[in-house]
Amino acid sequence: GQQLNQSPQSMFIQEGEDVSMNCTSSSIFNTWLWYKQDPGEGPVLLIALYKAGELTSNGRLTAQFGITRKDSFLNISASIPSDVGIYFCAGRRFIIQGAQKLVFGQGTRLTINP
Amino acid sequence: DGGITQSPKYLFRKEGQNVTLSCEQNLNHDAMYWYRQDPGQGLRLIYYSQIVNDFQKGDIAEGYSVSREKKESFPLTVTSAQKNPTAFYLCASSGGTGLGGANVLTFGAGSRLTVL
């Protein structure tokens, strides 16, 4: 099955630094989603983007839906220790009757040095 | 609180044995999903169900089976035919219909299966 190209695969930063990660695809998606996963837990939705060109913020997080509908980025400003985890992008397509298919990136593992 | 409950959290299995992972949701969602996660990879869809008594294969259904007898429950059986069953398994659900707005996937906390 298709997977998105997410980069970087890992990041090692100092607390307080800004973070940027992105996802690209060879095909179009109707929705882009960004999830965060803590070790041993399920992913939790951070931001959902529904329109091409849309720029959405959630606290220190900002994400954009690329104008071509084939890419998205996520920025985290002023990182703090609880930002540590794995961040996944996902492109969404609807199947039928409300069921949906998500195509995931490989994840970006964020490590923060205090 | 509404959510998705997966059990067991950790499971060990000998080769050749079938094992069933439980997934229960009280979100009143129609659709449920099973994903598999391997280190360094994104989540891959195993099976999904849009409605009770109906389910469809995802991208990596071989060696797995599911049932959907109740709206709240979507158990996954990892059979002995699955060649590399050691993985982290995630159940998810989504509610509502239509193309836009909310109706995003909500995930459970996962079950880690290790084959000895």
Side-chain angles (χ1 to χ4, degrees):
Chain A
Q2 178 190 11
Q3 285 202 326
L4 304 178
N5 183 21
Q6 183 173 349
S7 64
Q9 292 187 15
S10 60
M11 301 183 73
F12 298 86
I13 63 170
Q14 298 293 325
E15 184 177 350
E17 289 185 11
D18 296 343
V19 172
S20 184
M21 60 192 78
N22 68 82
C23 272
T24 60
S25 170
S26 57
S27 56
I28 290 171
F29 290 102
N30 296 318
T31 302
W32 282 89
L33 306 166
W34 285 93
Y35 285 87
K36 177 177 183 274
Q37 185 179 30
D38 292 327
E41 298 295 327
V44 174
L45 182 69
L46 298 174
I47 291 180
L49 301 157
Y50 301 106
K51 295 181 180 179
E54 178 182 356
L55 183 70
T56 297
S57 294
N58 178 9
R60 294 178 296 106
L61 278 60
T62 301
Q64 184 157 31
F65 191 149
I67 195 70
T68 65
R69 295 167 63 191
K70 293 182 179 180
D71 63 304
S72 177
F73 72 75
L74 174 70
N75 290 339
I76 305 172
S77 63
S79 58
I80 59 178
S82 61
D83 291 334
V84 166
I86 303 177
Y87 292 79
F88 289 99
C89 62
R92 182 170 79 174
R93 295 191 183 99
F94 279 90
I95 308 170
I96 57 175
Q97 292 183 351
Q100 51 190 283
K101 181 173 183 178
L102 297 187
V103 179
F104 283 86
Q106 304 96 320
T108 296
R109 182 180 296 273
L110 180 61
T111 303
I112 298 176
N113 298 316
Chain B
D1 288 346
I4 300 174
T5 302
Q6 290 187 238
S7 63
K9 181 67 175 177
Y10 299 96
L11 186 61
F12 297 88
R13 188 195 90 177
K14 293 182 179 180
E15 284 191 24
Q17 289 181 337
N18 293 352
V19 62
T20 298
L21 307 179
S22 170
C23 178
E24 302 280 331
Q25 55 100 357
N26 60 4
L27 299 167
N28 199 32
H29 284 170
D30 289 317
M32 297 187 73
Y33 313 79
W34 274 104
Y35 284 85
R36 170 182 171 136
Q37 185 176 27
D38 294 286
Q41 295 192 38
L43 283 64
R44 292 181 292 167
L45 183 63
I46 304 173
Y47 267 98
Y48 66 96
S49 168
Q50 301 147 258
I51 198 169
V52 174
N53 292 323
D54 183 68
F55 49 84
Q56 305 295 330
K57 293 182 178 179
D59 297 321
I60 55 166
E62 184 176 354
Y64 300 98
S65 66
V66 294
S67 63
R68 186 85 186 277
E69 298 177 359
K70 297 187 300 181
K71 185 176 184 177
E72 302 79 16
S73 179
F74 191 40
L76 173 74
T77 297
V78 185
T79 75
S80 56
Q82 169 51 232
K83 296 180 180 179
N84 296 295
T86 295
F88 192 53
Y89 291 89
L90 288 158
C91 179
S93 69
S94 64
T97 57
L99 299 177
N103 188 19
V104 293
L105 259 66
T106 300
F107 285 88
S111 293
R112 184 167 298 281
L113 172 64
T114 302
V115 175
L116 304 173

